[in-house]
């Protein structure tokens, strides 16, 4: 018997209770998602400006991105036809509803949604088999989404992802909350979230799997999360320096070369704090320089005249390997990566006994 229980995702089960975090732009696409799903975890494609390499991206970004969802889903399915493939879609994105509906059409098993509260996600996925999972970070945000879905849609999430303060990219905390939450305090917050979730499980007589994310980089952290009561973990940064990751080689090497002091908190044009690797680009932003950019209409609330740089352009530069002139999102423990591995090797380190059993 394995010491790890499979993770239920809608009508499917992941043999390894692992979700690969969605990373955009262009970091977790069909290549990485398919590789993780093929190993028994949940592979996740990031929908953020997914069609950035399409020839019509600058003219008609929404059309290019919707087409990109199908293309990347097809790539992932070729690697893991029966595996669980999800799509991560930020609620802050322009055209959010269109991205969700297109992901359902493309055959996504799961839609994960954060960067705001996905209050209308059940409506956009109704009459489909696609499971839905909000990303929340605090008991307060969990209460809002659970209460709203219960009242308006008479339903609960198929899965909840609790993303802690050590996560990478956009964070669901204020700067003050990031300073407040240490390991012990966030553990208490997570337990409070579990208690709240349990109330809705009892009401609906149905399990809501809860997945913990943020700074999980080893089997020790996996075991700690499961002992706390999590049903699984979400891991992102560990999968960037892998051969199968869709990022450029330069991006992967930036993780491998990074030191602890290179990781910092930045203010994103999205309006949230974010965690990234320090570089020349962030030095310019820190000095108050405004990075010239054009508008890609990627966010619902974005004043082009006021923002210091375009989040889309900064992340595309990262995906294409121009690492000194880019925003390099990462988790708090990204500096621990010392070499480029395979997805299989990373999962073997995170779930050693599970991995051996399922081989």
């Amino acid at each position: 018997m394995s010491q790890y229980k499979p993770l239920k995702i809608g009508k499917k089960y992941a043999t390894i209770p692992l979700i690969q975090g969605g990373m955009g732009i262009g970091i977790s696409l069909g290549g990485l998602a398919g590789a993780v799903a093929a190993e028994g975890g949940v592979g996740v494609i990031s929908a953020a400006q997914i069609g950035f390499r399409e020839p019509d991206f600058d003219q008609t970004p929404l059309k290019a991105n919707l087409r990109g969802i199908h293309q990347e889903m097809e790539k992932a399915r070729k690697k893991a036809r029966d595996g669980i493939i999800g799509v991560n879609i930020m609620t802050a994105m322009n055209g959010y509803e269109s991205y969700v509906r297109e992901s359902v059409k493309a055959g996504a098993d799961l839609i994960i949604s954060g960067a705001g509260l996905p209050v209308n996600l059940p409506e956009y996925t109704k009459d489909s088999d696609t499971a839905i999972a909000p990303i929340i970070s605090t008991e307060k945000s969990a209460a809002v989404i659970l209460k709203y879905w219960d009242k308006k849609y008479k339903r609960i999430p198929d899965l909840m992802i609790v993303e802690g303060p050590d996560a990478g990219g956009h964070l669901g905390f204020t700067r003050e909350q990031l300073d407040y939450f240490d390991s012990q305090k966030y553990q208490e917050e997570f337990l409070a979230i579990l208690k709240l979730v349990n109330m809705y499980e009892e009401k609906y007589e149905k399990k809501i799997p809860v997945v913990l994310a943020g700074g999980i980089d080893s089997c020790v952290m996996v075991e700690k999360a499961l002992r706390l009561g999590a049903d699984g973990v979400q891991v992102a940064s560990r999968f960037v320096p892998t051969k199968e990751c869709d990022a450029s080689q330069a991006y992967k090497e930036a993780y491998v070369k990074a030191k602890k002091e290179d990781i910092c908190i930045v203010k994103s044009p999205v309006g949230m704090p974010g965690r990234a690797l320090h570089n020349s680009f962030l030095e310019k932003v820190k000095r108050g320089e405004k990075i010239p950019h054009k508008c890609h209409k990627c966010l619902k609330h974005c004043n082009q005249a006021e923002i210091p740089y375009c989040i889309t352009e900064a992340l595309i530069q990262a995906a294409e390997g121009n690492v000194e002139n880019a925003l390099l999102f990462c988790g708090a423990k990204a500096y621990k990566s010392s070499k480029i591995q395979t997805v299989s090797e990373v999962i073997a380190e995170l779930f050693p006994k599970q991995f051996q059993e399922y081989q």
Side-chain angles (χ1 to χ4, degrees), residues 77-204:
R77 288 290 176 212
K78 284 180 180 177
K79 287 191 170 189
R81 190 153 300 281
D82 297 321
I84 301 178
I85 309 291
V87 180
N88 182 295
I89 308 172
M90 297 192 301
T91 61
M93 290 168 63
N94 250 333
Y96 174 72
E97 180 181 348
S98 297
Y99 287 110
V100 172
R101 293 189 184 280
E102 204 66 29
S103 296
V104 171
K105 288 180 187 175
D109 297 305
L110 170 70
I111 289 175
I112 296 171
S113 222
L117 293 176
V119 289
N120 297 319
L121 185 54
E123 180 182 338
Y124 304 154
T125 58
K126 65 182 180 183
D127 302 322
S128 78
D129 289 331
T130 303
I132 53 177
I135 298 176
I136 56 93
S137 293
T138 62
E139 181 189 11
K140 183 179 179 180
S141 57
V144 170
I145 203 75
L146 286 165
K147 183 178 180 179
Y148 190 88
W149 284 13
D150 173 41
K151 185 176 181 181
K152 186 169 183 179
Y153 299 110
K154 300 293 185 287
R155 71 159 296 170
I156 51 178
D158 297 297
L159 178 87
M160 288 191 79
I161 296 175
V162 179
E163 200 165 85
D166 284 343
H170 292 118
L171 305 170
F173 301 92
T174 63
R175 189 61 191 257
E176 291 72 27
Q177 286 175 319
L178 289 174
D179 292 334
Y180 171 78
F181 281 120
D182 57 20
S183 178
Q184 181 59 40
K185 286 176 181 173
Y186 197 72
Q187 180 173 310
E188 292 167 4
E189 187 78 6
F190 180 68
L191 293 174
I193 293 169
L194 289 182
K195 186 176 180 180
L196 176 67
V197 167
N198 184 248
M199 290 170 53
Y200 284 86
E201 288 177 326
E202 290 179 354
K203 178 175 181 177
Y204 282 82

Side-chain angles (χ1 to χ4, degrees), residues 267-284:
K267 185 178 180 181
S268 165
V270 172
M272 296 175 165
R275 182 173 278 111
L277 290 178
H278 188 268
N279 60 0
S280 300
F281 176 82
L282 290 183
E283 273 297 315
K284 292 179 183 178

